[in-house]
Amino acid sequence: MVEVNIEFVTIDRNTRTPLVVLKEKEGESKRILLIWIGESEAWAIENQLKQIPPQRPITHDLLKSVIDTFSGKVDSVCITSIEESTFYAEVTLDLNGKKYELDSRPSDAIALAVRCEVPIFVEEKVIEENGFLEAEVKKEKTSQRDAKDILENLDDDIAKHYTV
Amino acid sequence: MVEVKADYISTENNGTPVVILKQKEGDPIRRLLLWIGEAEANAIKSYLDEMHFPRPMTHDLIKNIIDTLSTTVNAVYITKIEKSTFYAKLSLKTDTQEIAIDSRPSDAIAVAIRFNAPIFVDEGVLEEHGFLEEEKKDG
């Protein structure tokens, strides 16, 4: 498992779908992983990252309140696998020292992780097969066939970060 | 408090989703219309329509977490309205305690229906904002 940071949330101009860009936290050549997510989850992640306090608790705030109320603790979240273009994730919940792994979509897991300030991990195999190297993208020598196509069609936000 | 049930989800002319709550018993039967977000409308509608998704939606994750915490939802209370915003409480119950958590009505309803938990509306809220079936609600 490798730890990742959320680089940013943007919109894929081509598919008009929000996208979260994850980047490997440590290591010399940091790999990037793109995950397409739903609009409300993108908003939930973005608002928390920008520290925009909601007037009323939004869904993921409620989720955190429920966990806090019953002295649960989120340990971490992990993007565990990809099957037929769908990413799978798990939320690890610590309840009085006992760990529970709950099946989740990556978007919900990430929206919860940013609220609980816990690390986000990606299984090595997932990032190995679906990630691409930041350096390679910059040099336009991406090894992943689709990566350049994807990035070329992204919103201007991403263009600021990568030369494609 | 008056018990209601989530009757159906609709959209206003401007495309805003609404949930219609309907008084469960009594005469006349009053209804309450709440403007909600699209994601929460989908979370309520898909459950009422018994649609199944391959992956857990956000409110399904909330249900799974509540189950894991060995607690359950025993009721939802729509308590007040302030500056056109409705307030609700999600009431959770364990063997030893009952705790009410601040929530938007839409989230509380989306979670409550997944537990078959009753939904209650404050009499004052229903009195002021409820309407009868034959009345045309103007907001």
Side-chain angles (χ1 to χ4, degrees):
Chain A
M1 278 198 313
V2 294
E3 189 173 350
V4 293
N5 281 327
I6 300 166
E7 272 285 273
F8 51 90
V9 178
T10 185
I11 306 264
D12 177 346
R13 204 188 277 165
N14 214 22
T15 60
R16 295 242 153 258
T17 310
L19 173 69
V20 59
V21 180
L22 302 174
K23 184 174 160 185
E24 206 169 345
K25 200 171 176 183
E26 316 248 323
E28 264 182 44
S29 49
K30 297 185 169 81
R31 288 168 294 182
I32 306 272
L33 186 67
L34 306 177
I35 302 181
W36 280 260
I37 59 176
E39 234 171 83
S40 63
E41 294 78 22
W43 190 66
I45 296 168
E46 182 79 350
N47 272 19
Q48 184 67 25
L49 290 177
K50 288 188 174 160
Q51 308 257 307
I52 300 168
Q55 283 189 324
R56 299 286 300 135
I58 66 166
T59 312
H60 296 87
D61 298 322
L62 173 65
L63 179 50
K64 181 176 186 293
S65 295
V66 168
I67 296 169
D68 289 346
T69 301
F70 291 93
S71 311
K73 202 175 136 288
V74 176
D75 260 7
S76 62
V77 304
C78 183
I79 293 142
T80 51
S81 63
I82 175 165
E83 277 170 37
E84 292 171 9
S85 306
T86 302
F87 284 96
Y88 286 69
E90 276 175 2
V91 172
T92 302
L93 194 64
D94 181 317
L95 199 58
N96 305 318
K98 204 170 168 203
K99 312 267 190 210
Y100 297 87
E101 273 153 7
L102 290 129
D103 181 27
S104 164
R105 293 177 301 169
S107 54
D108 285 329
I110 294 169
L112 186 59
V114 292
R115 282 169 174 75
C116 300
E117 299 178 330
V118 298
I120 301 165
F121 294 103
V122 179
E123 276 297 342
E124 175 58 38
K125 192 168 176 280
V126 172
I127 202 158
E128 180 68 37
E129 287 175 10
N130 303 282
F132 50 89
L133 291 173
E134 186 179 31
E136 285 180 352
V137 173
K138 279 182 174 163
K139 286 184 210 153
E140 295 189 59
K141 282 183 195 165
T142 171
S143 56
Q144 188 177 331
R145 194 168 48 82
D146 298 331
K148 194 164 165 282
D149 292 344
I150 292 166
L151 289 174
E152 274 175 345
N153 284 304
L154 290 177
D155 206 56
D156 293 341
D157 277 7
I158 205 166
K160 280 186 273 180
H161 295 72
Y162 304 102
T163 314
V164 290
Chain B
M1 288 280 176
V2 181
E3 189 173 353
V4 295
K5 67 175 199 125
D7 202 23
Y8 61 94
I9 295 283
S10 181
T11 45
E12 293 282 82
N13 290 338
N14 63 7
T16 308
V18 292
V19 57
I20 311 292
L21 301 176
K22 182 183 170 187
Q23 202 172 331
K24 219 171 166 184
E25 295 183 353
D27 184 25
I29 298 276
R30 289 169 293 181
R31 285 173 165 75
L32 187 68
L33 180 152
L34 306 178
W35 284 269
I36 61 177
E38 225 168 275
E40 295 74 33
N42 286 336
I44 296 169
K45 188 171 190 331
S46 61
Y47 195 83
L48 292 178
D49 292 349
E50 296 181 18
M51 280 166 67
H52 297 285
F53 296 105
R55 302 291 301 133
M57 296 290 112
T58 313
H59 296 85
D60 299 321
L61 176 63
I62 298 183
K63 179 183 190 296
N64 293 343
I65 284 185
I66 291 173
D67 287 341
T68 304
L69 293 165
S70 303
T71 178
T72 190
V73 173
N74 66 326
V76 161
Y77 302 102
I78 295 164
T79 53
K80 62 175 177 178
I81 176 164
E82 270 175 30
K83 293 180 189 162
S84 307
T85 301
F86 285 94
Y87 286 70
K89 287 195 185 301
L90 181 69
S91 177
L92 298 165
K93 196 173 189 289
T94 66
D95 293 342
T96 53
Q97 55 181 345
E98 194 174 322
I99 299 173
I101 297 176
D102 181 31
S103 165
R104 293 178 302 175
S106 55
D107 283 327
I109 294 166
V111 175
I113 57 177
R114 285 164 167 77
F115 285 91
N116 287 320
I119 302 163
F120 296 96
V121 179
D122 176 77
E123 174 56 41
V125 170
L126 199 55
E127 181 71 35
E128 272 181 53
H129 301 277
F131 61 97
L132 298 174
E133 194 171 11
E134 57 269 24
E135 288 174 3
K136 196 73 191 155
K137 175 74 180 166
D138 56 12

